[in-house]
């Protein structure tokens, strides 16, 4: 398998070396649609699809892209991650890379730093992939089926998710002995404890990381899923497809693909949601004013929020859909909860003020 240095990811995606992130994303989407194995039946389509996905995985990440550009230019300081050849302070050794091979684990000036190819063994469950699918009210009412192409971390085809091609189980970290931390004598500042740079605090490592996934057990790729939106769906409803989210690291469980239904006719705009919040904010002050006969004193706290709220709501158009009004009610309730605490503070202030008017401090009366 060709290494990162041997591949021209810019040429694979068909973009210039100074291409923006948006240009890289669009180029990947175009090529992914053409090369997806379900669409393209050419013998090398799958291999080219993986190559395009690999290129996008590197160029879409600012840090990875920076390291890749540095390696392509022959920079001797292009370290900082996993997957580079061991021995010269490359991807493997976060303390290596210096021109003299010096560091907490090095051999001093003129020496050679200890080679390390292992990767931290950190099994973590994969996260869900959240996707918003916009449909009109009619389609939501009748139900609709849609195919979705999206990007996710999938189980590595080479190591089958374990992160290692040969080893059956992770090994105890040789640097920290499984403790997850090490002590370093800094001299001037004494002995300090720090997280082990080899296992990253896990205490275990993948001794022979898979060259395809770098030992994580997953690779970035494009996937397709068919989503069935049931009849009678509304804005905010979710359709979950099990096992089609991000794969977990080192063989952990895979997340789900969660499709959130978006119906514009039932959704409040940001201005409308704020407007209903303002209206709800004024309600506790209105109730307080009526209950304590101080409505005149609180008139500004009632009139201004209501006027501003009505303007924000009406400006974007009032809808007749029942779910729209339900969402409006939720926004009003949120506004009431915000205004209630402030209204209670006002009530206590009025209570103290009325008490002072009758008895004052130290029992002296005022007329």
């Amino acid at each position: 398998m060709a290494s990162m240095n041997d591949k021209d990811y810019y040429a694979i995606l068909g973009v210039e070396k100074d291409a923006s992130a948006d240009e890289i994303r669009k180029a990947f989407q175009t090529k992914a649609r053409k090369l997806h194995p379900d669409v393209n039946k050419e013998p090398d389509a799958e291999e080219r699809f993986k190559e395009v996905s690999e290129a996008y995985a590197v160029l879409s990440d600012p840090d990875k892209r920076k390291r890749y550009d540095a390696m392509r230019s022959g920079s001797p300081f292009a370290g900082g991650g996993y997957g580079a050849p061991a021995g010269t302070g490359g991807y493997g050794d976060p303390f290596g890379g210096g021109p003299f091979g010096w560091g907490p684990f090095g051999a001093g000036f003129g020496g050679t730093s200890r080679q390390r190819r292992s990767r931290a063994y950190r099994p973590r469950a994969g996260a869900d992939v959240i996707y918003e699918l916009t449909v009109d009210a009619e389609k939501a009412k009748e139900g609709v089926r849609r195919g979705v192409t999206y990007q996710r971390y999938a189980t590595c085809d080479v190591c089958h998710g374990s992160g290692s091609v040969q080893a059956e189980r992770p090994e105890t970290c040789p640097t920290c002995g499984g403790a997850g931390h090490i002590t370093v004598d800094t001299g001037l500042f004494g002995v300090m404890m720090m997280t082990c740079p080899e296992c990253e605090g896990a205490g275990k490592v993948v001794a022979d990381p898979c060259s395809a996934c770098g030992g994580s057990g997953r690779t970035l790729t494009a996937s397709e899923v068919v989503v069935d939106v049931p009849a009678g769906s509304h804005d905010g409803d979710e359709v979950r497809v099990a096992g089609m989210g991000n794969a977990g690291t080192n063989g952990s469980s895979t997340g789900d693909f969660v499709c959130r239904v978006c119906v514009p006719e039932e959704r409040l705009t940001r201005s409308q949601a704020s407007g209903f919040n303002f209206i709800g904010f004024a309600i506790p002050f209105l109730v307080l004013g009526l209950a304590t006969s101080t409505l005149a004193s609180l008139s500004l706290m009632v009139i201004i929020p209501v006027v501003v709220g009505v303007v924000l709501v009406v400006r974007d158009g009032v809808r007749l859909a029942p779910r729209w009004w339900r969402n409006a009610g939720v926004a009003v309730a949120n506004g009431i909860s915000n205004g209630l605490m402030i209204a209670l503070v006002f009530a206590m202030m009025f209570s103290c003020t009325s008490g002072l008017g009758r008895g004052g401090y130290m029992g002296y009366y005022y007329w």
Side-chain angles (χ1 to χ4, degrees), residues 11-340:
I12 291 174
L13 291 179
V15 297
E16 299 294 331
K17 288 182 173 56
D18 58 349
S20 64
D22 191 51
E23 291 173 338
I24 292 174
R25 179 180 57 81
K26 290 180 179 179
F28 165 73
Q29 291 176 342
T30 301
K31 288 188 174 291
R33 293 191 189 100
K34 294 180 179 179
L35 296 175
H36 196 281
D38 294 341
V39 178
N40 194 325
K41 301 303 180 182
E42 295 182 6
D44 61 340
E46 184 175 357
E47 188 64 32
R48 291 166 60 194
F49 179 77
K50 291 180 180 179
E51 197 173 47
V52 168
S53 298
E54 179 185 336
Y56 180 71
V58 173
L59 298 184
S60 62
D61 188 300
D63 293 333
K64 292 181 180 178
R65 182 178 181 181
K66 185 177 180 180
R67 293 198 298 267
Y68 170 74
D69 290 340
M71 285 190 299
R72 294 282 295 178
S73 65
S75 171
F77 302 102
Y82 295 103
T88 58
Y91 279 169
D93 189 357
F95 297 100
F100 304 105
W102 180 86
F105 308 105
F109 290 94
T112 57
S113 59
R114 182 174 64 83
Q115 295 186 354
R116 177 167 65 84
R117 296 181 59 252
S118 58
R119 184 196 189 279
Y121 178 77
R122 301 179 68 88
R124 292 181 179 176
D128 293 339
V129 173
I130 310 297
Y131 183 87
E132 278 202 352
L133 179 64
T134 301
V135 296
D136 56 37
E138 190 66 26
K139 292 287 181 62
K141 181 180 179 181
E142 297 175 354
V144 65
R145 169 176 286 192
R146 291 282 177 84
V148 178
T149 300
Y150 63 103
Q151 194 176 25
R152 70 174 182 128
Y153 284 101
T155 302
C156 177
D157 294 331
V158 178
C159 66
H160 306 292
S162 66
S164 173
V165 179
Q166 298 179 351
E168 296 182 357
R169 57 182 60 88
E171 297 181 0
T172 301
C173 176
T175 299
C176 65
H181 55 80
I182 59 174
T183 55
V184 179
D185 188 354
T186 61
L188 179 62
F189 298 102
V191 178
M192 297 178 60
M193 183 175 293
M194 60 178 291
T195 301
C196 177
E198 184 159 359
C199 67
E200 299 177 6
K204 295 182 178 180
V205 296
V206 179
D208 56 338
C210 170
S211 58
C213 64
S216 66
R218 64 182 190 174
T219 55
L220 191 64
T221 184
S223 298
E224 287 186 344
V225 66
V226 176
V227 179
D228 288 311
V229 178
S233 295
H234 295 283
D235 183 72
D237 289 352
E238 293 184 350
V239 179
R240 186 176 292 266
V241 182
M244 290 301 292
N246 289 311
T249 57
N250 298 120
S252 295
S253 60
T254 301
D256 298 337
F257 178 85
V258 181
C259 177
R260 288 180 179 168
V261 181
C262 175
V263 184
E265 292 86 348
E266 299 178 349
R267 174 167 290 193
L268 299 176
T269 65
R270 183 170 297 182
S271 296
Q272 288 174 331
S274 298
F276 282 117
N277 277 326
F278 276 116
I279 294 173
F281 182 86
I283 292 176
F285 293 94
L286 177 62
V287 174
L288 175 64
L290 294 175
T292 60
S293 301
T294 57
L295 186 59
S297 302
L298 295 172
S299 59
L300 290 179
M301 298 297 294
V302 175
I303 295 175
I304 294 178
V306 170
V307 172
V308 173
V310 170
V311 171
L312 292 175
V313 171
V314 174
R315 186 176 60 181
D316 290 342
V318 177
R319 306 293 177 89
L320 301 178
R323 182 56 67 100
W324 188 89
W325 285 104
R326 176 181 172 181
N327 294 335
V330 172
V332 170
N334 291 335
I336 292 175
S337 63
N338 293 332
L340 183 59

